[in-house]
Amino acid sequence: MRSMLFTQAIDDALAQAMADNPRIILFGEDIPLLRRNLLVRFGPGRVRGTPISESAFLGAGVAAAMAGLRPVVEMYMVDFLGVCADALLNHASKIEAFSGGKWTAPVVVRVPCGGGYGDGGQHEQSLWGWLAHIPGLTVLVPSTPADGGGLMLAALQHDGPVIFLEHKLLSETWLEFLGSGARSTVQYDVPADGAKGPVPQNWEPVPIGKAFLRRAGGDVTIVSVGVGVHRALEAAQALETEGISVGVLDLRTVSPLDNAAVREVVALTGRLLVVDEDYEGFGLSGELSAVVLEAGISCKYARVCTQTTIPYARQLEDQTLPSKLRICAGVRQLMQ
Amino acid sequence: MPPDLWTLYALMLKSRLFEEAVAKLWHDGLISGEMHLGTGEEAIIAGVVANLREGDAMALDHRGTAALLMRGVDPVLVARELLGYPDGLCGGMGGHMHLFSKEYLAASSGIVGAEGPAAAGFALAAQYLRPGSVAIAFFGDGAMNQGMLMESMNLASVWNLPVFFVCKDDGWAITTKSVEVTGGGLNERAQGLGVATVEVDGRDVSAVWEAAHIAIERARSGQGPTFLHAHCVHFEGHLLGFPMVRIADHPLREMPGIAIPLTLSILRPGGAPLRDRLAGLRTVVASVLSTMRDPRRDSANDPVARVRATLESVPVRLHELEDQSQKEIDHVFASALMEVPS
Ligand SMILES: Cc1ncc(C[n+]2csc(CCOP(=O)(O)OP(=O)(O)O)c2C)c(N)n1
Ligand SMILES: [Mg+2]
């Protein structure tokens, strides 16, 4: 089996899809350089740079998708979607409904997200809950190279707008660009299994809306996405020595949620801990409690999320983002 | 009133020495995340900031450190902020892209173009609360393609807001050459929105000071916004450790990591015909080459060295000033680093 880095895997799956489907084009700021390996294979007609005009080029991506192209629009960081939220909130997500189901906008928005490297609260947000709140948007958050590539392929086959979130802490390319490349004096807590891992010889789509049980456990169920999955796995391992058996469900897709999988694992343990790097209030963690309650499952519930604006200072940042320490404390609380 | 070159040089030097020290701390790993310096744009910042007085506001971009220092914000507080200490300027919460000083009405943003609406709002408040005060927006050439900045120029124009829009044009937005993604001329854009324009060599602090003086006086006296188009360079490229600069400085070390995947990719079956692949390759090679020939790497463009050259006729005073500035910065970082919070 081949092994790949996170971003490398996503690019590789994207390349496979581009070779199969000439309607896929990529654009975004600095894309000719950032995706240079795709540029030299698919040419400047399909891999294009843009001005810093997110409203224009994301909005154009949505309409180009309606008119038959399969654009992959790249944003520098999910935080900057704030500038062009309208294209998603009022357009991409609404086309299918407004047209009575007769028209869709199959655009893929590929966006780096997440923190853990000291860039502060305007560059390290997760925001998948904010995006998933809007009906009509599919929101993907892979946590491994294999899922990264497989979900990218699924996104490119999906008949509607997809937000594909690429966690920067898993991406060697982003971390090196954002400050670790020129110095060996900084260290980030990069989850090894998320940054590099086995990938298939030939990419197959990973189904959208299907969670994956990364670890079985009988006492507590942790449900998470992205880097949170790896933090949860580390915590689960540590808690094993205390005799607590913790399972970890990787949602992989935030919208649509795999309600069935969540209910199944939580029903078994009766204890749900949500680990979510996104904001705590009005988001994924609360949604998951509703998913369980609506099914009539009674369980103990706790959550480890980001509660405030992410601080710039590394130490404060570590305390703010979900950590192994806080997850272990959350699990112990549920076991009391 | 002609600009006092000595004062302007002192401002520029303070900022340069400060940021050189910051670069060292960053390389030593004491500063996290990205780091965008303002080295190369000091003449623009000094020429504008030297015209400000109490009550004036500044909306800053991702290179806001220089403007804050020149405005008078305590450099120890800025240094401790960059180090992420709880007693830094913003309690360690902001970092270099999110520096704020309520006292000086100065607010930064890492969102490209956000300086436009911010300056318009500061200017609006000035019209009601601090008549005669102005608001400055500092931003780059790349930001000129951001809708909200263009909208702000229109708003400032129709509301006759006392805004001075300062575009620090280094010709680049990260790895993108601005000419390749910018239609028409920047001055014409501003004029089209009813904003007065002036273009200067941003390496020449006197030229900037004079242009800024006129524009700011116009704004103070209720004659509305001006757009300054000032050309400059950024010696470090976009940010510290900028990959393109690394390639230019250490081609043998950096090229294999880029060339190998590139070659493998160009040879892979499936995809574009050879002609298009070669066109893609030419784009990549051209951008690497243009970094190597990038004017931002030529020390002849150094605004600090330029003003210094005109002061060399008074060597004693010059050296005194420089010794004093260096001592002050050394002292700033000695105190900033002295007490590391546990
Ligand atoms: C809305 C938004 N889009 C993209 C970015 C990423 N980004 C940060 S700086 C930058 C380039 C800015 O170029 P310019 O305005 O010319 O300023 P310079 O860095 O050259 O001083 C980009 C694209 C961002 N911070 N905000
Ligand atoms: Mg620029």
Side-chain angles (χ1 to χ4, degrees):
Chain A
M1 217 179 209
R2 307 187 287 172
S3 170
M4 278 190 185
L5 300 167
F6 188 66
T7 292
Q8 186 189 13
I10 297 166
D11 283 352
D12 195 64
L14 181 54
Q16 182 184 311
M18 287 178 79
D20 289 345
N21 182 355
R23 292 185 171 211
I24 298 174
I25 66 165
L26 317 183
F27 54 86
E29 292 152 28
D30 292 319
I31 287 311
L33 241 101
L34 293 173
R35 303 286 164 244
R36 57 186 174 270
N37 296 334
L38 297 171
L39 171 62
V40 298
R41 182 166 165 199
F42 297 101
R46 293 180 68 190
V47 180
R48 309 172 66 140
T50 62
I52 309 175
S53 308
E54 287 90 357
S55 306
F57 72 77
L58 180 56
V62 172
M66 293 168 67
L69 285 177
R70 275 239 164 228
V72 177
V73 183
E74 293 211 33
M75 285 290 141
Y76 247 107
M77 293 188 189
V78 72
D79 317 69
F80 311 156
L81 274 181
V83 168
C84 51
D86 178 69
L88 299 175
L89 173 67
N90 288 318
H91 297 89
S93 61
K94 303 285 189 285
I95 306 301
E96 189 175 354
F98 283 169
S99 69
K102 296 192 180 93
W103 209 354
T104 56
V107 61
V108 175
V109 186
R110 178 178 177 181
V111 212
C113 70
Y117 62 98
D119 239 357
Q122 211 176 49
H123 290 71
E124 294 199 327
Q125 297 169 95
S126 298
L127 300 183
W128 43 71
W130 184 61
L131 293 160
H133 183 61
I134 304 165
L137 295 182
T138 294
V139 181
L140 308 178
V141 187
S143 70
T144 64
D147 279 356
L151 283 170
M152 175 50 82
L153 209 59
L156 289 164
Q157 294 174 5
H158 183 71
D159 193 16
V162 178
I163 319 290
F164 183 96
L165 292 163
E166 184 173 354
H167 203 295
K168 280 166 281 172
L169 208 61
L170 302 179
S171 166
E172 75 297 343
T173 325
W174 279 115
L175 287 181
E176 107 96 35
F177 189 79
L178 297 174
S180 72
R183 50 180 180 166
S184 51
T185 45
V186 279
Q187 252 117 40
Y188 309 122
D189 187 5
V190 175
D193 294 341
K196 192 172 185 197
V199 298
Q201 205 59 38
N202 214 338
W203 288 104
E204 292 292 332
V206 164
I208 289 172
K210 280 272 165 244
F212 184 78
L213 193 66
R214 297 252 168 240
R215 181 189 165 106
D219 293 326
V220 174
T221 300
I222 298 182
V223 178
S224 189
V225 275
V227 164
V229 170
H230 300 283
R231 301 280 184 254
L233 287 168
E234 287 166 36
Q237 181 126 37
L239 289 160
E240 208 175 83
T241 59
E242 295 176 26
I244 307 176
S245 167
V246 178
V248 179
L249 184 72
D250 180 353
L251 289 169
R252 308 196 291 189
T253 300
V254 173
S255 179
L257 269 178
D258 189 348
N259 293 345
V262 172
R263 287 166 180 161
E264 193 184 323
V265 286
V266 176
L268 280 175
T269 60
R271 294 186 189 91
L272 168 61
L273 180 76
V274 181
V275 173
D276 186 11
E277 187 180 329
D278 200 2
Y279 299 125
E280 182 174 274
F282 308 91
L284 176 63
S285 59
E287 184 63 27
L288 285 166
S289 74
V291 164
V292 173
L293 290 173
E294 281 169 352
I297 299 168
S298 73
C299 71
K300 290 185 83 176
Y301 169 89
R303 49 184 166 175
V304 175
C305 310
T306 298
Q307 295 174 322
T308 60
T309 293
I310 302 167
Y312 157 74
R314 286 290 289 114
Q315 236 184 338
L316 297 178
E317 183 189 6
D318 284 343
Q319 291 163 17
T320 304
L321 301 176
S323 61
K324 180 175 148 189
L325 203 76
R326 282 174 61 205
I327 297 168
C328 286
V331 167
R332 288 190 202 104
Q333 181 200 324
L334 286 179
M335 290 301 292
Q336 271 166 19
Chain B
M1 184 182 55
D4 173 7
L5 270 189
W6 288 97
T7 312
L8 294 172
Y9 181 57
L11 288 177
M12 293 167 69
L13 191 61
K14 174 177 171 180
S15 172
R16 173 63 58 89
L17 295 175
F18 185 93
E19 291 203 299
E20 281 174 356
V22 165
K24 192 173 173 309
L25 294 181
W26 185 88
H27 280 288
D28 289 345
L30 294 174
I31 293 176
S32 64
E34 301 170 70
M35 177 52 70
H36 312 83
L37 298 183
T39 52
E41 60 179 55
E42 292 97 337
I44 304 175
I45 311 292
V48 172
V49 171
N51 278 289
L52 299 186
R53 59 188 195 210
E54 202 185 329
D56 293 338
M58 300 192 299
L60 307 170
D61 64 5
H62 50 293
R63 306 184 193 277
T65 306
L68 287 172
L69 294 175
M70 294 188 199
R71 193 80 173 92
V73 173
D74 182 349
V76 176
L77 291 182
V78 178
R80 286 183 79 82
E81 179 63 25
L82 304 187
L83 289 161
Y85 293 167
D87 57 358
L89 182 67
C90 304
M93 288 294 291
H96 86 284
M97 276 191 281
H98 319 111
L99 294 169
F100 288 80
S101 169
K102 187 175 178 184
E103 186 186 352
Y104 288 95
L105 282 171
S108 320
S109 177
I111 304 298
V112 170
E115 313 78 20
F122 286 148
L124 181 65
Q127 276 184 336
Y128 287 89
L129 306 176
R130 284 174 286 276
S133 295
V134 297
I136 313 297
F138 283 115
F139 51 86
D141 44 322
M144 284 296 285
N145 290 319
Q146 186 63 276
M148 66 177 129
L149 179 56
M150 295 299 100
E151 295 173 24
S152 305
M153 285 193 187
N154 183 53
L155 192 67
S157 171
V158 295
W159 282 0
N160 202 38
L161 296 173
V163 182
F164 188 29
F165 293 98
V166 180
C167 178
K168 306 165 293 164
D169 185 349
D170 67 347
W172 291 85
I174 311 190
T175 71
T176 300
K177 262 201 157 116
S178 283
V179 284
E180 287 166 13
V181 291
T182 309
L186 301 188
N187 300 344
E188 289 73 16
R189 279 190 194 180
Q191 285 159 15
L193 296 165
V195 176
T197 63
V198 53
E199 183 155 356
V200 296
D201 179 349
R203 301 165 307 174
D204 178 346
V205 68
S206 307
V208 175
W209 188 92
E210 268 164 58
H213 188 69
I214 295 168
I216 289 173
E217 287 312 311
R218 272 192 79 224
R220 290 198 198 288
S221 60
Q223 296 173 70
T226 302
F227 171 73
L228 175 70
H229 190 183
H231 301 270
C232 69
V233 296
H234 286 126
F235 298 113
E236 302 284 353
H238 181 68
L239 37 58
L240 283 181
F242 190 45
M244 305 299 284
V245 170
R246 264 188 277 150
I247 295 169
D249 288 349
H250 308 282
L252 291 180
R253 191 184 75 197
E254 300 287 335
M255 273 319 276
I258 291 175
I260 293 166
L262 211 58
T263 313
L264 291 176
S265 190
I266 207 169
L267 295 175
R268 270 180 86 168
L274 187 63
R275 182 172 34 93
D276 293 341
R277 294 185 187 223
L278 291 177
L281 185 63
R282 269 197 302 279
T283 313
V284 177
V285 172
S287 78
V288 172
L289 287 179
S290 66
T291 319
M292 292 183 170
R293 291 193 224 102
D294 188 348
R296 59 190 159 182
R297 306 178 48 73
D298 185 345
S299 58
N301 290 319
D302 187 344
V304 177
R306 280 172 167 245
V307 59
R308 184 182 197 279
T310 67
L311 300 175
E312 262 172 344
S313 52
V314 199
V316 178
R317 186 169 172 193
L318 183 63
H319 292 138
E320 245 170 48
L321 170 66
E322 289 176 343
D323 286 348
Q324 185 58 30
S325 300
Q326 187 65 60
K327 266 192 210 129
E328 278 169 23
I329 293 299
D330 289 347
H331 183 71
V332 163
F333 282 90
S335 359
L337 287 162
M338 199 156 55
E339 260 178 84
V340 181
S342 54

